[in-house]
Amino acid sequence: MQKLTPVSLIIHVVMLLLAVSWLYPFIWMVLSSLKPTAQIYTESLFSGHWTLDNYSFLLDNSQRANKPFFRTLGNSLFVSLTITLTVTLSSVLVGYAVAKTDFFGKGVFKNLLIAQMVFPAFMFIIPQFVLMRELGLINSYSAMILPYAMGAWGIFMVSQSFKGTPNDYIYAAKLDRASLWGILRHVMMPLNKSILAIVALFTFSTSWDNFLWPLIVMRDIDKMPFSVLLSTFSKSYGVYLGPVLAGSVLQMLPVVLLFILFRKYFLQGMSLSLK
């Protein structure tokens, strides 16, 4: 076991304090969602009356106010899972072509990928909205899914990981008469599952928390994602801080659960990407 020096001890203490300061808002949000609104600011963090009334209020009043909570939660799951699946699959297909094949304009295509990652996403909102309107997709699930069905960042990450996979594995698969899909499914994807887990996790969290684009293209409340419903609920019931915090906890919960379930692959992928 390596002995801690005074300098390394100070560094560990500072990192621990920074981690606690980063986690404190989330801890406060979760604990405050379990208290009556009147006690959120009057009681200390770990004191007060613990109750699930805020969650009951959120469910009951969302239905009374024509804000279908479970419907919008299902919409968010459907849209986020669809985007995650399409982005991961397209990243595998295009990433393999960029990493392991030669085609005309490959250098230009790679430069376009990097350029797309440089420009902020909000610059493309107006052209995307015009395109969705011309296609007649406004106020539909397709309007929320199609603009994000492929991501330059995912393609870049997967292609960089595929480059590190020895070509001998591909040659061996071809000798066994494996098809392109067979090579991807049985060779490239298992050997690079950590990077794929990172792409899937970040894609899901981004699409799950996406608020601005669904707010622009969606008008039907039955098709809205949960993030938009939570915003309208916060505007209508902003005086009731407890239920708003309960909704925020529910908004955060799927991403936290995914990270806990796939943290092994996530940490492995992060270490590979940093190398």
Side-chain angles (χ1 to χ4, degrees), residues 24-41 43-47 49-51 54-55 241-246 249:
Y24 178 80
F26 297 97
I27 298 174
W28 182 87
M29 180 177 65
V30 173
L31 295 181
S32 297
S33 68
L34 298 173
K35 299 179 183 179
T37 300
Q39 296 182 5
I40 291 178
Y41 292 117
E43 300 289 340
S44 61
L45 183 62
F46 296 100
S47 63
H49 176 65
W50 306 105
T51 178
N54 292 327
Y55 293 89
L241 181 60
V244 174
L245 292 176
V249 172

Side-chain angles (χ1 to χ4, degrees), residues 77 80-81 84 200-209 254-255 258:
L77 285 174
S80 300
L81 290 175
T84 301
L201 181 61
F202 273 86
T203 302
F204 181 87
S205 61
T206 302
S207 58
W208 178 265
D209 293 330
V255 178
L258 279 178

Side-chain angles (χ1 to χ4, degrees), residues 119-177:
F119 292 107
F122 67 84
M123 291 183 59
F124 305 101
I125 286 182
I126 295 179
Q128 286 177 351
F129 176 80
V130 174
L131 177 61
M132 293 298 105
R133 186 186 62 185
E134 294 299 321
L135 293 175
L137 298 178
I138 296 297
N139 200 33
S140 68
Y141 292 115
S142 299
M144 293 188 290
I145 295 173
L146 288 180
Y148 301 96
M150 182 179 295
W153 176 81
I155 295 173
F156 178 80
M157 291 289 291
V158 172
S159 64
Q160 292 298 109
S161 180
F162 280 1
K163 283 183 180 179
T165 302
N167 293 330
D168 295 341
Y169 292 107
I170 301 176
Y171 297 149
K174 288 181 178 180
L175 288 176
D176 291 335
R177 298 183 179 181

Side-chain angles (χ1 to χ4, degrees), residues 15-264:
M15 292 178 63
L16 179 62
L17 293 176
L18 290 175
V20 171
S21 64
W22 181 81
L23 288 173
Y24 178 80
F26 297 97
I27 298 174
W28 182 87
M29 180 177 65
V30 173
L31 295 181
S32 297
S33 68
L34 298 173
K35 299 179 183 179
T37 300
Q39 296 182 5
I40 291 178
Y41 292 117
T42 58
E43 300 289 340
S44 61
L45 183 62
F46 296 100
S47 63
H49 176 65
W50 306 105
T51 178
L52 295 175
D53 290 344
N54 292 327
Y55 293 89
S56 299
F57 182 91
L58 179 68
L59 296 175
D60 294 340
N61 286 274
S62 63
Q63 299 298 329
R64 296 174 186 173
N66 195 25
K67 299 181 185 298
F69 171 81
F70 290 106
R71 175 75 179 184
T72 55
L73 190 61
N75 293 338
S76 292
L77 285 174
F78 170 72
V79 172
S80 300
L81 290 175
T82 304
I83 292 176
T84 301
L85 179 62
T86 55
V87 167
T88 305
L89 182 59
S90 62
S91 298
V92 169
L93 296 174
V94 182
Y96 179 82
V98 173
K100 297 298 183 181
T101 63
D102 293 323
F103 55 89
F104 178 77
K106 180 177 178 179
V108 177
F109 181 77
K110 292 172 66 176
N111 291 333
L112 289 175
L113 285 179
I114 297 175
Q116 187 176 353
M117 290 188 293
V118 170
F119 292 107
F122 67 84
M123 291 183 59
F124 305 101
I125 286 182
I126 295 179
Q128 286 177 351
F129 176 80
V130 174
L131 177 61
M132 293 298 105
R133 186 186 62 185
E134 294 299 321
L135 293 175
L137 298 178
I138 296 297
N139 200 33
S140 68
Y141 292 115
S142 299
M144 293 188 290
I145 295 173
L146 288 180
Y148 301 96
M150 182 179 295
W153 176 81
I155 295 173
F156 178 80
M157 291 289 291
V158 172
S159 64
Q160 292 298 109
S161 180
F162 280 1
K163 283 183 180 179
T165 302
N167 293 330
D168 295 341
Y169 292 107
I170 301 176
Y171 297 149
K174 288 181 178 180
L175 288 176
D176 291 335
R177 298 183 179 181
S179 62
L180 174 60
W181 176 244
I183 294 174
L184 292 174
R185 181 182 177 184
H186 299 292
V187 178
M188 303 303 293
M189 294 175 68
L191 292 175
N192 298 274
K193 56 186 176 183
S194 298
I195 291 297
L196 296 179
I198 286 184
V199 172
L201 181 61
F202 273 86
T203 302
F204 181 87
S205 61
T206 302
S207 58
W208 178 265
D209 293 330
N210 193 5
F211 167 75
L212 181 59
W213 179 249
L215 182 66
I216 293 174
V217 299
M218 193 58 61
R219 301 186 181 95
D220 189 354
I221 193 170
D222 289 330
K223 298 179 181 178
M224 283 184 179
F226 181 67
S227 58
V228 178
L229 178 73
L230 183 61
S231 174
T232 59
F233 190 88
S234 175
K235 184 177 180 180
S236 302
Y237 298 93
V239 67
Y240 301 105
L241 181 60
V244 174
L245 292 176
S248 301
V249 172
L250 294 176
Q251 173 76 11
M252 179 185 67
L253 190 59
V255 178
V256 175
L257 291 177
L258 279 178
F259 176 77
I260 293 174
L261 292 174
F262 298 100
R263 65 185 183 277
K264 175 184 176 181

